[in-house]
Amino acid sequence: METEQVDALLLPFVRAADDVESERLLSSLITEHAAPIVTKIVNYKIHGSLPAASRGESVTEAEDVCGEVMLQLLQRLRHLRSNYASRPIGNFDSYVAVTTYNACDRHISRKYPQRRRLKNGLRYLLTHRAGLALWQDEQFKWVGGLRHWQTGAPVKRTETEAPAHGKPGATRRLQLLRDDPRAFARDIEVQPQWNDPKHAYELLSAIFAWTNEPIELDLLTGVVASWWNVTDETIEVDAGSDSDRQTETAGPQVVDTRPDAAIETERHIYLNRLWDEISQLPPRQRSALLLNLRDENGRGVVDLWMIVGIATPAAVAAVLGMTVEEFAGLWSELPLDDNGIASLLGLTRQQVINLRKSARERLTRRMKDF
């Protein structure tokens, strides 16, 4: 019965009669099925979100992240073949997408901490300042713009703003902005205060007035970073001693050395019980808790239950009241701050805080014996 939980795409691999056949099928899964998904996401997150001047270096970065994801997938699938009953992958496409978004987010956070902080600041401004908004478009990408655009108000475009050839959904002005973060300044009078981060609202308003349509949050971050000269010192992820590298990549995603079997079993039982209790929380409490869940370094850890094999991506998405596609699109933005969660749930920031507090109090009561 357990095999019914495994994606049908993976069944020939996990049921292969010998190692030779399994390796052949594994190679096919990676190169023919996973690779296109990984490449598309990595190019968008690592390469496509950076201004043109920075893309030469980003090509190498994208290749490195792709290699990291492929290695993780190989390891996970090999483990799946020997242990698919306890740790099934119910939707391989979703698993690949979540793994890739996770890897991209870790890479950007490690190598571009200043850019990450800027992005968080813009997210706060878009969700906090009157007249602005942050939401997901039909492709589940986070975009920012004027609040009335979020309600579906029509945007009038001139002929020069028609969709760019070969780039469905992207207007010429957005493409100009992607190639040159200061493109909008050629058509309007530049104001001195735009160079001051204290006047971020004025700068965003000028950019939105010029594009006359929403802008992807990653692209908007790149534009503002260029305008304010926000740069990060180059950080080689693999530099340093072995202990440094282990610390930098430490977390629930990478577990090479196992603790004592009894301790590991106890942890698994605890996490399984905790997940059951979280699943029984009221829907909004679940979302307020999980969307903000983070480790001691501030990184989102909602994927913890997927890593240890307790819940599939589809199960986590269901607990959050989302489709798998919505969860995969949101993953790179986690953890969300209170304003981001409030915007997503249609609540106030204080309501989100109260919901999470209630969730924690209930979990504390239910888990006290553990």
Side-chain angles (χ1 to χ4, degrees):
M1 292 296 293
E2 288 85 352
T3 58
E4 295 179 1
Q5 302 177 43
V6 179
D7 191 326
L9 181 69
L10 303 177
L11 287 179
F13 164 68
V14 300
R15 292 172 173 172
D18 53 55
D19 291 341
V20 174
E21 177 67 5
S22 71
E23 286 299 309
R24 184 188 68 79
L25 293 170
L26 176 61
S27 176
S28 177
L29 284 170
I30 293 296
T31 59
E32 298 177 14
H33 200 83
I37 300 174
V38 174
T39 301
K40 181 178 180 180
I41 294 175
V42 170
N43 283 342
Y44 168 70
K45 295 297 293 183
I46 303 296
H47 179 67
S49 62
L50 297 177
S54 304
R55 291 179 193 168
E57 183 180 357
S58 74
V59 172
T60 301
E61 295 179 21
E63 292 174 350
D64 291 342
V65 175
C66 283
E68 175 188 342
V69 174
M70 293 303 185
L71 179 59
Q72 290 183 39
L73 293 175
L74 281 170
Q75 294 173 337
R76 179 66 177 90
L77 288 174
R78 286 190 175 120
H79 182 75
L80 174 70
R81 176 167 158 75
S82 62
N83 196 29
Y84 66 83
S86 62
R87 298 188 59 188
I89 296 178
N91 188 313
F92 185 56
D93 286 357
S94 297
Y95 182 84
V96 172
V98 170
T99 300
T100 307
Y101 275 115
N102 189 10
C104 290
D105 190 54
R106 289 199 309 271
H107 176 82
I108 293 173
S109 296
R110 291 196 302 254
K111 190 162 186 177
Y112 303 105
Q114 297 293 342
R115 181 185 175 91
R116 181 69 175 182
R117 279 192 282 271
L118 173 59
K119 184 176 180 180
N120 288 338
L122 293 177
R123 182 186 293 112
Y124 176 83
L125 180 64
L126 289 166
T127 57
H128 187 73
R129 189 65 182 265
L132 302 181
L134 178 70
W135 68 96
Q136 286 181 289
D137 64 11
E138 64 278 2
Q139 296 178 326
F140 306 109
K141 296 176 182 177
W142 286 97
V143 297
L146 303 182
R147 181 168 296 279
H148 69 267
W149 292 346
Q150 185 181 8
T151 62
V155 177
K156 295 182 179 179
R157 296 193 179 115
T158 66
E159 183 178 349
T160 59
E161 295 172 320
H165 178 67
K167 295 183 177 296
T171 65
R172 296 186 187 280
R173 286 194 170 180
L174 282 182
Q175 186 57 38
L176 286 172
L177 200 61
R178 190 180 297 277
D179 293 334
D180 179 8
R182 292 176 177 262
F184 71 97
R186 294 196 296 264
D187 297 333
I188 57 180
E189 183 179 354
V190 176
Q191 301 299 317
Q193 64 265 32
W194 294 351
N195 294 314
D196 186 350
K198 293 181 180 179
H199 293 276
Y201 175 78
E202 287 79 0
L203 176 60
L204 293 190
S205 297
I207 296 172
F208 293 143
W210 183 75
T211 61
N212 197 32
E213 68 177 300
I215 305 175
E216 296 169 19
L217 182 58
D218 283 328
L219 174 57
L220 186 61
T221 302
V223 171
V224 176
S226 176
W227 193 270
W228 290 342
N229 296 317
V230 175
T231 60
D232 285 290
E233 294 181 1
T234 300
I235 301 173
E236 296 296 336
V237 175
D238 292 329
S241 64
D242 291 340
S243 60
D244 290 336
R245 285 196 294 270
Q246 185 176 2
T247 299
E248 196 155 305
T249 59
Q253 297 84 359
V254 180
V255 184
D256 292 327
T257 55
R258 298 280 183 172
D260 177 83
I263 296 177
E264 187 177 44
T265 299
E266 290 178 0
R267 289 176 178 173
H268 194 276
I269 293 173
Y270 176 86
L271 289 173
N272 192 69
R273 170 67 181 272
L274 180 59
W275 179 251
D276 287 342
E277 292 295 343
I278 290 175
S279 300
Q280 295 175 38
L281 291 170
R284 288 184 172 180
Q285 287 188 16
R286 297 197 298 255
S287 296
L289 178 72
L290 291 174
L291 293 175
N292 182 258
L293 200 62
R294 63 190 72 204
D295 63 14
E296 64 275 9
N297 295 315
R299 292 177 297 205
V301 292
V302 72
D303 68 337
L304 173 62
W305 288 275
M306 294 184 291
I307 298 299
V308 299
I310 291 174
T312 64
V316 176
V319 165
L320 289 170
M322 302 177 179
T323 66
V324 174
E325 291 76 14
E326 288 173 331
F327 175 59
L330 179 65
W331 165 248
S332 63
E333 307 298 330
L334 298 179
L336 297 181
D337 60 20
D338 293 333
N339 286 294
I341 298 173
S343 177
L344 191 65
L345 300 181
L347 304 172
T348 66
R349 178 176 179 273
Q350 189 59 51
Q351 285 176 317
V352 171
I353 294 173
N354 293 341
L355 286 168
R356 187 164 54 250
K357 179 181 179 182
S358 297
R360 286 174 173 167
E361 290 175 348
R362 172 170 166 170
L363 291 174
T364 299
R365 293 194 303 270
R366 296 291 185 91
M367 298 294 295
K368 63 181 180 180
D369 293 337
F370 281 74

